[in-house]
Amino acid sequence: MTKFTDPIGFSKLDAYRSCPQKFKYAFIDKLPQPGSPAMERGSKIHDDAEAYLRGWITALPEPLSNWQDEFDALREAKCLPEQAWGFNRAWELLPNWLHPTTWLRAKSDAHYIQGDTLIIIDFKTGKYRVPSTEQIELYAICGSAVYPSMEKVTAEFWFVDADNTYTKQYTKAHLVELRKKYENYFAPIYADETWKPAPSRECKWCNFSTSKDGPCQY
């Protein structure tokens, strides 16, 4: 029986919920998966955002140029772009997310402090879609763990193609209470030894499906 022992994160939780066998192929067997033009574009937009916020470039390329005022405000607020956080099981921030005791990994696209509030932002590309409440919740929990003195955390998704935002605000006390919820979400992933498939309409897009010459029977 094979067990998962690597650090967890929201994308892995999402993959496990979709199909445990798909999770095994991707994160235990680490079978290669092809990229896509959308993924490459999203990566470039994130790189452009970081470069502007760090002052490496002086002009925002499209579609970020439509957010000029917002990005200038981030620079004025001295935001920190592209921060990779690693936490141990006590939700303590580690020196880096490659530390041997890393249990959870999260990345902040941009964040800054305003009074007693941490504002943490995730840039999204593509069409606007109602975001996962749990994804933004987990970002807020991680931000609060990094900045425990902050009384509030405002977590935002910026849909840079759709010119739209999604915002939620949390109190520190609430975020500490929510930690147990995610510990319970992650626990079955570490306990699983069977990695049963969960066939659905999503199979036709899965890189591991039989229709794409993958190892899965579906």
Side-chain angles (χ1 to χ4, degrees):
M1 297 295 182
T2 304
K3 299 189 76 169
F4 176 71
T5 58
D6 288 343
I8 197 70
F10 186 81
S11 62
K12 291 178 180 177
L13 173 63
D14 206 31
Y16 182 80
R17 286 170 164 174
S18 171
C19 176
Q21 183 167 261
K22 178 180 179 180
F23 178 97
K24 178 179 181 292
Y25 291 146
F27 300 113
I28 297 178
D29 301 336
K30 302 186 189 313
L31 300 182
Q33 299 186 69
S36 71
M39 291 173 61
E40 292 174 5
R41 178 177 180 273
S43 179
K44 183 180 185 306
I45 288 173
H46 278 75
D47 288 346
D48 289 340
E50 179 185 10
Y52 186 77
L53 293 174
R54 292 192 184 278
W56 298 340
I57 59 175
T58 57
L60 280 169
E62 292 185 351
L64 299 178
S65 55
N66 297 324
W67 295 71
Q68 187 71 55
D69 291 345
E70 289 82 358
F71 271 81
D72 287 346
L74 289 180
R75 289 176 70 166
E76 183 68 22
K78 302 187 186 312
C79 83
L80 294 175
E82 290 297 323
Q83 300 295 298
W85 296 329
F87 304 90
N88 61 23
R89 288 180 178 268
W91 296 90
E92 295 169 334
L93 182 66
L94 298 168
N96 60 72
W97 77 352
L98 297 177
H99 192 276
T101 64
T102 302
W103 163 68
L104 171 66
R105 287 175 176 162
K107 182 174 283 189
S108 160
D109 289 344
H111 70 272
Y112 62 97
I113 291 171
Q114 189 173 67
D116 66 351
T117 302
L118 170 69
I119 294 92
I120 180 169
I121 301 165
D122 188 64
F123 304 131
K124 299 287 189 184
T125 55
K127 295 180 180 179
Y128 178 82
R129 58 224 178 259
V130 177
S132 165
T133 301
E134 291 178 341
Q135 184 180 17
I136 203 168
E137 196 171 76
L138 185 57
Y139 283 151
I141 294 169
C142 292
S144 182
V146 176
Y147 295 92
S149 65
M150 294 293 102
E151 291 300 320
K152 292 175 285 188
V153 175
T154 297
E156 302 180 353
F157 287 163
W158 290 13
F159 291 86
V160 297
D161 286 314
D163 194 23
N164 210 332
T165 61
Y166 180 89
T167 302
K168 295 263 297 190
Q169 188 172 79
Y170 304 86
T171 64
K172 177 172 68 173
H174 186 207
L175 292 170
V176 171
E177 290 176 2
L178 285 171
R179 291 179 181 181
K180 188 64 178 177
K181 172 181 173 180
Y182 289 88
E183 291 169 10
N184 291 337
Y185 283 164
F186 298 147
I189 301 176
Y190 287 102
D192 201 336
E193 295 181 351
T194 59
W195 310 104
K196 293 180 180 178
S200 71
R201 67 177 67 182
E202 303 298 320
C203 291
K204 61 183 176 181
W205 291 293
C206 178
N207 291 317
F208 307 119
S209 68
T210 186
S211 64
K212 295 191 176 182
D213 297 323
C216 182
Q217 65 269 44
Y218 295 102

